Amino acid sequence: MEKLTFVIPTLLGVEGLTAEELRRMGMEGVRAENGRVFCQGGPGDIPRLNLRLRTGERVLVQLGTFPAVTFEELFQGTQALPWEDFIPRGGAFPVKGFSLNSALHSVPACQSIVKKAVATRLGRIYHQNTLPEDGPVYQIQFSLMKDVASLLLDTTGPGLYKRGYRAVGVAAPLRETLAAALVMLSGYRGKDPFCDPFCGSGTIVIEAALIAKNRAPGLNRTFSAQKWAWLPSQTWVDGAGEAMDLEYDGDYDIWGGDIDPGAVAIARDNAVKADVEDLVRFSQADARTFSRQEPYGRVVTNPPYGERLMERRQAEELYRDFGRAVQGLPTGWRLNILSSHTEFERTFGRSAQKKRKLYNGMLKCDLFQYDKNNRGSGEKKPFGRETKRG
């Protein structure tokens, strides 16, 4: 099989992180666009990508792209693609997709056309008038963007954010891929103390532990392409073995706290499911009294926004109290706080040194980043107290 083109959808704002992940894995032709990243590789890269990507949402194989202003162009362009190279006799091939800024704007109609075109070609190749579709699933995805159609196969199944460790959660959970992105944006590599004072179900803490140990996030789940006839099962064995060989051993100071004891219990259970319970600590704690004595460390957290979990005024009071609490941290600490609240910096008490736009689901947020050199607008003192390092 010739080189494959992979398309990795991402949450808006993390495309650069996903592209860097792909480059570190040695993928070729890495190119980022809004909400997706492209690269090239071979069939053996399908397990590697699914098992090891932390910030990508799924792994798609692109079969082709072509202009499609009319249904006839969509039908003929789809039928011309080599579907028999991927979908065997009996393979099920459901279709889903979307249309954006295109003449063909009816998604159900486009689904029907794509399905008919693929069935026509496979029926001719396999000499069957009716395709049974009683085998493994080969999920077809299409996108129509500015009258250009892209046809793809989904190798992943349930999104990559479903690591397999969060069977239950708390209200307004943070998607695992976004949690991993927050940890990566903080620069955490497992050496510094790491804290999440609003840990909820423990997602950020668990992703930090996986990153510290360099453990592949997909080892505890399955993927659609594991059942595909043209992808030998040995490639999955090899991919998992390669991923496990890359793990580190070490002692880590990774802590999560939450005022809700029920959330803490869930976080501990999720850490067990993720097989990182020996790397992390959880405890009931009030973020308004958060403090640490170590000369340096990192806080990565996702406090309530005042939109879904708390009233706006309550959220502002919480930010104000938390801002006062972290003033007592030594100046070697760095803070990374995700919030959609438009008045976060004012209520927190200082302007961020850096801000990065991200999306938590459909909710537009900012990642507010602080370090010891941040003085912010109107600040007269550096962030935190001075501590001498030995």
Side-chain angles (χ1 to χ4, degrees):
M1 185 174 291
E2 297 181 359
K3 273 187 180 178
L4 301 174
T5 296
F6 297 109
V7 181
I8 316 295
T10 73
L11 296 172
L12 290 173
V14 305
E15 300 91 344
L17 290 175
T18 304
E20 183 59 28
E21 284 193 83
L22 294 168
R23 293 186 185 100
R24 289 180 179 177
M25 292 172 61
M27 301 302 295
E28 299 177 3
V30 177
R31 175 171 55 91
E33 295 183 357
N34 285 340
R36 57 184 182 175
V37 184
F38 295 82
C39 64
Q40 291 185 325
D45 290 310
I46 293 176
R48 296 175 69 240
L49 295 173
N50 277 293
L51 289 165
R52 292 166 56 184
L53 275 176
R54 300 186 188 279
T55 60
E57 294 301 303
R58 59 183 61 251
V59 179
L60 308 173
V61 176
Q62 182 174 274
L63 272 69
T65 63
F66 50 88
V69 179
T70 67
F71 286 129
E72 181 63 19
E73 287 177 328
L74 179 61
F75 181 88
Q76 295 298 338
T78 301
Q79 185 182 223
L81 298 176
W83 296 100
E84 66 277 7
D85 291 347
F86 300 90
I87 303 175
R89 187 190 306 268
F93 51 101
V95 177
K96 62 182 179 181
F98 67 90
S99 177
L100 184 65
N101 297 327
S102 296
L104 300 178
H105 53 82
S106 172
V107 171
C110 292
Q111 284 178 296
S112 178
I113 293 295
V114 170
K115 181 76 174 183
K116 182 178 179 181
V118 176
T120 298
R121 180 174 180 113
L122 292 180
R124 184 174 69 249
I125 296 292
Y126 296 136
H127 306 290
Q128 291 179 297
N129 293 327
T130 302
L131 298 167
E133 295 194 59
D134 54 2
V137 174
Y138 297 77
Q139 176 70 59
I140 296 174
Q141 288 201 15
F142 69 86
S143 69
L144 277 161
M145 299 176 66
K146 296 182 179 178
D147 295 322
V148 175
S150 295
L151 275 296
L152 313 102
L153 281 178
D154 179 8
T155 73
T156 301
L160 290 177
Y161 71 91
K162 295 188 176 181
R163 316 289 208 212
Y165 63 72
R166 193 170 66 185
V168 293
V170 295
L174 190 70
R175 184 172 283 201
E176 290 85 336
T177 45
L178 180 56
L182 298 181
V183 176
M184 294 166 70
L185 287 169
S186 79
Y188 177 68
R189 296 294 182 269
K191 296 181 179 180
D192 300 346
F194 182 97
C195 299
D196 178 2
F198 299 93
C199 74
S201 58
T203 307
I204 291 175
V205 170
I206 291 171
E207 291 298 320
L210 293 172
I211 287 171
K213 195 170 178 60
N214 201 34
R215 175 172 293 162
L219 286 172
N220 292 338
R221 56 160 291 174
T222 59
F223 304 93
S224 290
Q226 286 179 264
K227 297 181 179 180
W228 289 5
W230 57 269
L231 191 59
S233 59
Q234 186 61 42
T235 61
W236 292 93
V237 175
D238 293 342
E242 178 188 14
M244 289 186 285
D245 287 343
L246 295 172
E247 291 187 10
Y248 308 140
D249 289 322
D251 295 321
Y252 308 105
D253 182 358
I254 305 174
W255 172 84
D258 200 282
I259 199 169
D260 179 5
V264 172
I266 291 171
R268 287 174 177 155
D269 188 54
N270 288 343
V272 171
K273 291 184 174 73
D275 196 25
V276 296
E277 72 275 14
D278 58 331
L279 307 178
V280 302
R281 295 178 294 112
F282 292 103
S283 58
Q284 184 180 0
D286 190 339
R288 295 171 294 187
T289 60
F290 174 74
S291 65
R292 293 290 291 249
Q293 300 302 315
E294 297 88 347
Y296 56 89
R298 298 175 196 268
V299 171
V300 179
T301 195
N302 177 45
Y305 300 160
E307 297 190 22
R308 291 177 292 178
L309 299 181
M310 302 175 67
E311 294 297 328
R312 187 178 181 87
R313 184 173 298 176
Q314 288 178 302
E316 291 181 354
E317 291 175 357
L318 181 60
Y319 296 157
R320 187 174 295 111
D321 292 341
F322 183 52
R324 290 169 180 163
V326 299
Q327 283 183 13
L329 292 173
T331 55
W333 280 75
R334 297 180 178 180
L335 273 66
N336 297 263
I337 306 169
L338 185 71
S339 179
S340 68
H341 200 299
T342 56
E343 297 296 317
F344 174 81
E345 290 172 291
R346 178 183 62 79
T347 55
F348 186 66
R350 57 189 56 81
S351 298
Q353 186 180 38
K354 295 180 181 179
K355 287 195 295 185
R356 182 165 181 143
K357 294 190 184 300
L358 296 169
Y359 281 81
N360 185 0
M362 297 301 293
L363 197 60
K364 184 179 179 180
C365 300
D366 283 294
L367 178 63
F368 300 93
Q369 298 183 291
Y370 300 86
D371 64 30
K372 66 180 181 180
N373 295 316
N374 177 47
R375 293 176 180 268
S377 300
E379 282 194 286
K380 297 181 180 179
K381 296 180 180 179
F383 174 78
R385 70 174 187 268
E386 292 292 343
T387 301
K388 292 184 180 179
R389 303 176 90 167

